[in-house]
Every structure is written in C-alpha cells, then in structure tokens.
C-alpha cells in the first residue's frame, strides 16, 4: 500500500517520512484520532514505506518484496487486531489474530477504511465483544523474536490496542520496553485513555486530525465518480469521516434504520407511551452490541444537530435531507437546558453496553429518562 492511497492526511504523512529521513524513528508510536480519519490506512502505508527502505547492509528492495507489499503479504509485516472466540474453538484456546488472518486480509485488501462492525461481520460474531487476548501477545513475542527475513525492519501494526485485556497489555508493555532489534510498533488507537498509562508513556503519540472536507470531496469525485454538488453535500455531512461519506454513498440503509429508531424514541417519549417504549427497548436489545453502540453514537450526532438547527445557520448543521425534515418540527425540544444531560445519558449507555450490561434494562431506562428530559424547556 502506498501513501497516495491514503485520503488526505498529507501533514501526518510528511511528519512520518521526516522521522525516517532524519533518523529519529521511534521504535513504538501510536496514531490517535477519530473514526474514519484513515489511521489504519496511514499506519499500513507507513509500514510498507519502512519495509521498502534499504536494508542495514544498503541492499535495495527487490521487485518481489514490492509485490509482497502490494498484497500486504510481506513476512516482516505483522497485523494484530481484536478477535472473538468461535464455538468451534476449544475452551483452552486463546484466540489470536492468525485465527482470522484470511478474513482480515480480505477486508483490508478491499479497503483499509472499515468499522469494527464490518470486522465483526467478517469474523462471524456480531453479538460478541472483540478483544486482544494474552495469547496474541505470546504469538507476537514469538514472531518478532525471529530475524528479519529481508534484513530490514520488522513492523507490528496493532489495530485498536485499547481492546487488549490486562494480561495482554502487561506482556506487550514488556515487549515495548525491550523491543527486538529493528522492530517498529505502530499502534492505531481511537480511545488512548483506555490504554495502560505505562504503555502510553513509552510510545510516541501522533495525533491524526479529521480528514479535510475538501480531501473527502475530491476523493468522492475521483474515486467514486460522484458529481460536484453531491460530493460537496456528502463531504460536509461526513465532517472529516471517510466512513460516514461511504455510508452516505451507499444509500445509508443502516442510517435509515437508526433514524427510524431515533424518531420512534422521541415520539414515544413525548407521548409518554411506556408500553411502546418497552417494545422499543426490546427492539434495540435485539441488535448486536457493536450496533447498539453505533446507534448511540448516531443518537449523539442527531442530538447535536438538532440543537444546532435552532440557530438557523446552515454552516453549523450536517444532516441528510430526511434528518433535516424531522428537525424542522423536533429541534425546539433540544435546548440549552437538556442538551448536556441528554449527551451524558447517551455516553453512560455507551459505557454500560461496552461493559456487557443487560441491554433491555439499559435502553428501557434510557427511554424513560428521555420522557423527563424532553419536557425541560
């Protein structure tokens, strides 16, 4: 993969290349940024860039090496990512990335821009919580202890290290403290605060900003053949998130469902229909946990957009046409008195779902509290 395949992020690319050229490459770094900013794409392109560097003996990269990198099949490129335990696995087995290497390779070769939900679907476990186990760190120690097959760098790309369990995190910490020779760790992180402080203090953090809307607009036109006007609207709606741009491009079937569930919640809460709200909470509980968290993120966005809609400034709002049609009559119910409590409620629900709380209870309580919050004017 090449840097030219990364959408935008030219400043970050320049900084990474500069570290190599000036001889200031850290052995462990962490790319942090919001979803859809292209962190994984950037990390993968940088990993390939490192593996294309001349070896310590000055030997240039061969055509076969370039071919392996084009297919992301280089023996010195190692991917680590959250996994699940399948029913076919033995009770003693600790899932590792190699168990899902085929699924990962197919997904990342299709595009390095994808969500956790897409990865869960690829693994076949939408209703589970994906983690990085202690077995993964043991596997990584074994792989990185081997000599580089090409005489250059060995690169470990760790996607979402915040999903490591504590045993894995402690073993990885030791590996980072005493890294094998010519090994570079590139972590791709969305929630760095969930990582051990000792790990955060031993890696060089590089913050990746949201992708510029103009870069998204250009990519929609050149890569997807979208017209100027549609590309402009989608890029504004995406607000720096290429994944959101793709969702909008794909007709947003899930977004339509999420909007339906949002509208249903607000109408039932306003009318105080408790029995129907219970049915709504049961419908929400029927979704997989990753999908539930994604809906709650959608809820937060819609709450913010409806609040901003009250200011009647088009530049402040990022909604689809259908979302905006609902906001015309609903936005006045989201105001200065309830915007923060509603946001706190959604963030608390995201935390509870992430900690495997009973989804029916979480969403029914969520719905009941919305009844109270909507009447605060």
């Amino acid at each position: 993969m090449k840097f030219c395949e990364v959408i935008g992020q030219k400043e970050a690319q320049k900084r990474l290349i500069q570290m190599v050229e000036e001889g200031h490459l850290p052995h462990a770094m962490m790319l942090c940024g919001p979803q859809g900013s292209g962190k994984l794409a950037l990390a993968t392109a940088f990993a390939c860039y490192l593996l294309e560097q001349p070896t310590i003996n000055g030997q240039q990269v061969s055509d076969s090496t370039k071919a392996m990198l084009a297919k992301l099949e280089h023996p010195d490129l190692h991917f680590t990512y959250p996994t699940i335990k399948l029913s076919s696995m033995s009770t003693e087995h600790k899932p590792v990335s190699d168990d899902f290497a085929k699924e990962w390779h197919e997904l990342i070769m299709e595009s390095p821009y994808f969500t956790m939900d897409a990865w869960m679907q690829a693994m076949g476990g939408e209703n589970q919580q994906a983690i990085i186990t202690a077995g993964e760190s043991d596997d990584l120690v074994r792989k990185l202890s081997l000599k580089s097959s090409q005489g250059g760098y060995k690169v470990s790309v760790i996607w979402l290290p915040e999903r490591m369990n504590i045993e894995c995190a402690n073993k990885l910490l030791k590996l980072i403290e005493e890294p094998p020779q010519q090994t570079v760790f590139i972590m791709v992180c969305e929630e760095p605060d969930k990582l051990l402080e000792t790990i955060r203090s031993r890696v060089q953090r590089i913050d990746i900003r949201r992708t510029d809307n103009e870069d998204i607009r250009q990519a929609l036109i050149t890569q997807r053949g979208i017209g100027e006007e549609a590309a402009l609207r989608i890029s504004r709606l995406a607000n720096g998130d290429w994944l959101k741009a793709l969702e909008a491009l794909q007709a947003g079937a899930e977004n339509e469902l999420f909007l339906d569930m949002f509208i249903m919640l607000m109408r039932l809460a306003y009318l105080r229909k408790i029995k129907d709200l219970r049915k709504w909470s049961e419908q929400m509980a029927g979704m997989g946990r990753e999908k539930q968290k994604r809906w709650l993120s959608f809820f937060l966005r819609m709450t913010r957009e409806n609040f901003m809609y009250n200011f009647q400034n088009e530049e402040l709002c990022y909604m689809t046409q259908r979302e905006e049609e609902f906001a015309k009559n609903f936005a006045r119910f989201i105001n200065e008195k309830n915007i923060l409590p509603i946001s706190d409620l959604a963030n608390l629900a995201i935390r509870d779902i992430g900690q495997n709380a009973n989804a029916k209870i979480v969403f029914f309580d969520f719905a009941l509290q919305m009844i109270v919050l909507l009447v605060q004017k």
Side-chain angles (χ1 to χ4, degrees), residues 190-226:
E190 288 182 3
E191 299 176 286
D193 291 343
K194 291 185 177 180
L195 269 174
L196 289 179
E197 169 60 30
T198 44
I199 290 181
R200 296 203 305 267
S201 65
R202 285 164 175 77
V203 301
Q204 181 169 329
R205 175 169 171 165
I206 299 175
D207 288 312
I208 307 300
R209 299 184 300 180
R210 291 182 179 276
T211 307
D212 289 343
N213 285 357
E214 177 58 22
D215 289 324
I216 291 180
R217 188 187 71 83
Q218 288 289 346
L220 287 170
I221 295 171
T222 59
Q223 296 183 18
R224 304 285 170 159
I226 305 302

Side-chain angles (χ1 to χ4, degrees), residues 105-118:
H105 187 259
E106 289 176 352
L107 190 62
I108 199 170
M109 284 300 295
E110 182 179 344
S111 171
Y113 292 85
F114 53 83
T115 62
M116 169 55 73
D117 185 62

Side-chain angles (χ1 to χ4, degrees), residues 99-152:
D99 293 330
F100 299 93
K102 179 177 179 291
E103 292 82 358
W104 174 266
H105 187 259
E106 289 176 352
L107 190 62
I108 199 170
M109 284 300 295
E110 182 179 344
S111 171
Y113 292 85
F114 53 83
T115 62
M116 169 55 73
D117 185 62
W119 174 228
M120 293 295 288
Q121 289 179 3
M123 288 190 292
E126 294 180 64
N127 293 317
Q128 296 188 48
Q129 291 280 349
I131 64 170
I132 302 177
T133 68
E136 182 65 40
S137 55
D138 293 335
D139 212 32
L140 200 54
V141 169
R142 177 184 59 79
K143 290 176 180 177
L144 298 178
S145 65
L146 301 173
K147 288 185 64 176
S148 166
S149 66
Q150 308 294 308

Side-chain angles (χ1 to χ4, degrees), residues 45-78:
F46 185 51
C48 291
Y49 173 81
L50 290 176
L51 293 170
E52 283 186 330
Q53 298 303 301
T55 66
I56 54 178
N57 298 322
Q59 183 179 347
Q60 296 297 312
V61 177
S62 65
D63 290 338
S64 61
T65 297
K66 292 180 180 179
M68 287 189 290
L69 288 173
K71 296 180 180 179
L72 298 181
E73 293 177 344
H74 195 288
D76 295 325
L77 174 60
H78 307 284

Side-chain angles (χ1 to χ4, degrees), residues 304-313 316-317 319 324 327-329 331:
R304 180 261 179 201
E305 297 301 337
N306 276 271
F307 177 67
M308 298 307 294
Y309 186 86
N310 293 312
F311 295 93
Q312 296 298 311
N313 187 336
L316 297 177
C317 296
M319 290 188 281
E324 191 170 336
K328 288 177 182 178
N329 296 318

Side-chain angles (χ1 to χ4, degrees), residues 317-336:
C317 296
Y318 302 88
M319 290 188 281
T320 65
Q321 186 173 351
R322 185 168 172 238
E323 290 168 354
E324 191 170 336
E325 287 173 358
F326 178 68
K328 288 177 182 178
N329 296 318
F330 174 73
R332 67 181 187 275
F333 293 99
I334 307 297
N335 52 63
E336 292 87 347

